[in-house]
Amino acid sequence: MWSFARSALRAHRSSIVGSFLMVALASALLTATAAWMEAGLRGTASGESLPMLSAVTGSFAGTTILVVVLVVASAYAAALRERRAQFALLRAVGATPRQVRSMIAAEVSIVFTAATAAGAVPGLLLARAATPLLTSDEIVPVGFELPLSPWPVLATVLLLGATGAVTARVAARETARLSPTAAVRSSAVEPSVLSPGRRIAAWSTLGLGLGVAGVPFVVPGIIGSATGASSAFLLITSAALAGPAVVATLARHGLVLARGTGSSSLTLALANARGFSRRLTAAIIPLALLLALGTVQTGTNRAVLAATGLQLEEGITADLVVRPGSEESGLSAQDVATVTALPGVDGTTTLRAQDAEVRTDEEMDGVPGLGALAWEPTALQVLSGDGLLVDPDVRSGDLADLMTPGTVAVGRDSLLGSGTGLGGEVTVRVDGQESALTIVAVYDRSLGFGDYLVGEDNLPAGSTADALLVQTAGGDGPGAESVRSAVQHLGLRADDPAAYADAAVDAAAGQQRLSAVLLAALLVFVAAAAANTLAMLAGSRRPEHALLRRTGATRRQVLTTSVVEATAVAVAALVIGTLSVLPALVGVGYGLVGSVTAGFDLPVFAALALAVVAVAGSTTVVGAVRATATRPVVPVG
């Protein structure tokens, strides 16, 4: 069986090469992610924990695994589907269902094992090469060197191995369970009828996706919006499950409408879509995923930044915000005292961010190898002053109680699912020192002010402050302008709350380079997988093109048919991707900003849409041009 599988791979090496490269890319991406995750759990060689690395890679890993498994399984299943005639012939000449399944499993095992090994080493090197980016974003300390170990490779092997096994099983199931004659008949045209289980799964994921998209309307905030954003993947999955039936139905209706056009190319393209709807779905879904993934990720980031600026602007009740003259320095105690003593200043509040960790799982803390997961990296917003010139939209408790030592105010999103609330305790760790703080207030504006607010008495005194909120006599008027001028003469900057919020948003956007790089890598992988699937499908249609040429079709007619098919694939991908992401973006925008349009990033959407059209058009048409370059005599049947 293994020798037969190797022979089959050699015979179909042109189509296998693309699948091999796709699995290798998936292996590199997963191995790099696993290496970062392991480094975050282990910490540095000196014993310093890396909670931020664990948090960043943990959030990215979930999306990566979901996308990689969906794309790899879909694309490789399409590659196996193109060989249904071969598998049907084996059944016709006496092969048993078990032998067919074993042969397919052997082929998949060979390809996945070799491709996973080929991609694992570049993945480890890629993870190590990204260390400067991690250092510049202050996720790891300067001088950090990513350790190399076999565990990320082993995790990738297990994940891709399971994906390959399931793919092989599903691909072989339909042909293997049919009688030999039925298997041969079914290889000529693909059935578009869905099995009962697949129909149930399609409707279930559709309903679940729409339900999840509505969560931000019930649970506003970052948690509800993140949940709503995941609806895009559920809706894409529903489209993948129902795709063959939907494509075939649309093609049948299109054929009825095309009868009056007199276009043979349009009729041929629609007839092909009706007869091979599963093949077409395999080409459409990766492109739709490319559009949906990029749009929902960038749209969510856009909404988060908009909400951050809005909450800061509305939550600062001071007239002016004083900042240091350069980004590298802070406000010294002398600066604060000088500004506070200026004529016209009625009150001040200092803001200082303190890196810390918060314990989120008491039971996991102390477990060897998993203790880092029990602590979540965060920044405590330290407040001090005679009166707090901030309004984080307190929902319960009293912010004035922060002046009492041993207290903390917590954002409502951070308490969801924690089982604690007002009057409970939060354990924080600052510079290795743990302390339990009592929750005295719960507030909503956690994007603007962070998840935790504490008074200066709860932490060691900081050497500098990040900003000084200033309340002037007479409010925002001539008195404020006089104070602003005096502050500027001191070499400091003084802005109104709106300008300060804009600067904070710009700074936050600049710190998303790692997220942007990870998203770009994932999008490149999805685009490559989509192009590989389209190229494979175009190559498999050489006999069809040859038959059309032999029966009198001109090369121009064949190429026009390919252009129509490419257009149909691109339009279908754009429609499915847009409809999948639309509920998510509406929910995210409403949950974070209160506006259903806040999550729409039209320039990014347009760029991704152009990428979808370019991949679909170039790959399909180029494949058709190559296939019709000559008039080969290809045996058909």
Side-chain angles (χ1 to χ4, degrees):
M1 188 60 64
W2 287 96
S3 61
F4 190 89
R6 287 193 293 270
S7 298
L9 290 175
R10 284 194 294 269
H12 297 276
R13 57 183 176 272
S14 59
S15 62
I16 293 300
V17 167
S19 300
F20 178 91
L21 294 176
M22 180 190 62
V23 178
L25 284 175
S27 174
L29 194 59
L30 290 174
T31 302
T33 304
W36 290 328
M37 178 62 75
E38 183 195 21
L41 295 175
R42 287 192 174 190
T44 64
S46 61
E48 181 182 355
S49 62
L50 299 172
M52 186 62 71
L53 182 59
S54 298
V56 171
T57 55
S59 61
F60 177 70
T63 302
T64 301
I65 292 173
L66 179 64
V67 170
V68 166
V69 169
L70 178 62
V71 170
V72 170
S74 174
Y76 207 91
L80 292 174
R81 190 178 300 115
E82 294 307 306
R83 296 172 54 196
R84 292 170 71 244
Q86 174 196 341
F87 301 143
L89 180 60
L90 290 174
R91 293 282 285 119
V93 298
T96 65
R98 181 176 180 181
Q99 287 175 322
V100 173
R101 286 195 296 266
S102 298
M103 187 202 72
I104 294 176
E107 288 186 26
V108 172
S109 297
I110 293 173
V111 173
F112 271 69
T113 300
T116 301
V121 174
L124 291 175
L125 297 178
L126 175 65
R128 175 168 282 188
T131 300
L133 180 61
L134 299 176
T135 303
S136 64
D137 282 356
E138 300 182 352
I139 294 176
V140 298
V142 177
F144 171 79
E145 185 174 347
L146 185 74
L148 299 180
S149 77
W151 296 114
V153 179
L154 179 60
T156 300
V157 169
L158 292 176
L159 179 61
L160 289 180
T163 302
V166 173
T167 302
R169 183 73 179 180
V170 172
R173 180 184 60 182
E174 184 175 351
T175 301
R177 70 184 179 184
L178 296 176
S179 66
T181 54
V184 173
R185 285 197 307 270
S186 67
S187 65
V189 63
E190 297 175 343
S192 60
V193 178
L194 304 180
S195 65
R198 187 163 180 168
R199 284 199 303 270
I200 293 173
W203 282 109
S204 298
T205 51
L206 175 62
L208 183 59
L210 294 176
V212 168
V215 169
F217 292 91
V218 181
V219 185
I222 192 67
I223 300 298
S225 298
T227 303
S230 65
S231 66
F233 299 104
L234 291 170
L235 295 178
I236 282 286
T237 303
S238 176
L241 292 169
V246 174
V247 170
T249 300
L250 293 177
R252 282 194 294 269
H253 290 294
L255 280 171
V256 174
L257 298 176
R259 290 173 183 171
T261 64
S263 173
S264 58
S265 298
L266 178 59
T267 301
L268 286 172
L270 292 174
N272 174 72
R274 181 187 60 184
F276 295 93
S277 58
R278 293 178 183 267
R279 177 172 67 184
L280 205 60
T281 300
I284 292 171
I285 294 303
L287 292 173
L289 180 62
L290 172 65
L291 178 65
L293 176 63
T295 302
V296 76
Q297 293 290 340
T298 56
T300 301
N301 289 341
R302 176 186 175 91
V304 167
L305 291 176
T308 299
L310 183 63
Q311 291 182 11
L312 266 178
E313 183 178 353
E314 294 179 348
I316 294 178
T317 60
D319 299 315
L320 295 175
V321 181
V322 178
R323 293 184 292 156
S326 64
E327 297 294 340
E328 292 76 15
S329 63
L331 293 174
S332 66
Q334 181 62 41
D335 292 332
V336 172
T338 302
V339 173
T340 302
L342 289 175
V345 174
D346 276 357
T348 60
T349 297
T350 61
L351 300 179
R352 174 171 68 89
Q354 172 67 56
D355 291 335
E357 297 171 80
V358 176
R359 186 163 62 192
T360 57
D361 193 327
E362 188 172 353
E363 295 180 357
M364 190 177 293
D365 190 20
V367 177
L370 298 177
L373 295 178
W375 293 86
E376 179 180 288
T378 189
L380 305 179
Q381 189 65 259
V382 186
L383 308 176
S384 66
D386 297 334
L388 298 181
L389 301 176
V390 294
D391 175 20
D393 195 11
V394 174
R395 294 299 182 176
S396 59
D398 191 345
L399 202 63
D401 292 337
L402 281 182
M403 297 301 101
T404 302
T407 59
V408 63
V410 183
R412 186 165 61 172
D413 286 337
S414 299
L415 296 177
L416 288 177
S418 66
T420 187
L422 191 66
E425 287 190 346
V426 173
T427 302
V428 302
R429 184 165 61 190
V430 179
D431 296 332
Q433 299 295 320
E434 297 182 15
S435 58
L437 304 178
T438 301
I439 301 174
V440 295
V442 178
Y443 58 90
D444 262 354
R445 291 173 176 156
S446 55
L447 284 175
F449 294 96
D451 291 323
Y452 302 93
L453 299 176
V454 297
E456 188 70 50
D457 294 337
N458 292 300
L459 298 173
S463 58
T464 60
D466 298 326
L468 178 67
L469 309 183
V470 177
Q471 184 70 47
T472 61
D476 186 14
E481 289 302 318
S482 175
V483 173
R484 187 198 301 268
S485 299
V487 168
Q488 291 173 344
H489 281 302
L490 296 174
L492 306 175
R493 289 181 291 178
D495 299 313
D496 56 38
Y500 173 73
D502 291 340
V505 168
D506 291 340
Q511 294 174 354
Q512 292 183 344
R513 288 180 298 174
L514 178 61
S515 298
V517 170
L518 296 177
L519 176 60
L522 198 54
L523 291 177
V524 168
F525 166 73
V526 175
N532 170 70
T533 301
L534 288 167
M536 176 192 62
L537 296 179
S540 68
R541 298 188 59 196
R542 287 178 180 270
E544 297 177 31
H545 293 151
L547 178 60
L548 289 173
R549 297 292 303 278
R550 291 169 61 189
T551 55
T554 64
R555 187 188 186 201
R556 179 178 180 180
Q557 287 175 318
V558 174
L559 292 179
T560 303
T561 300
S562 298
V563 171
V564 173
E565 291 175 354
T567 302
V569 168
V571 170
L574 292 175
V575 171
I576 292 175
T578 302
L579 292 180
S580 298
V581 80
L582 192 60
L585 293 182
V586 169
V588 167
Y590 181 85
L592 291 176
V593 186
S595 169
V596 296
T597 62
F600 290 89
D601 194 333
L602 294 182
V604 171
F605 177 83
L608 291 170
L610 287 176
V612 168
V613 173
V615 171
S618 61
T619 309
T620 304
V621 175
V622 168
V625 169
R626 294 179 59 185
T628 59
T630 59
R631 295 179 61 92
V633 179
V634 180
V636 179

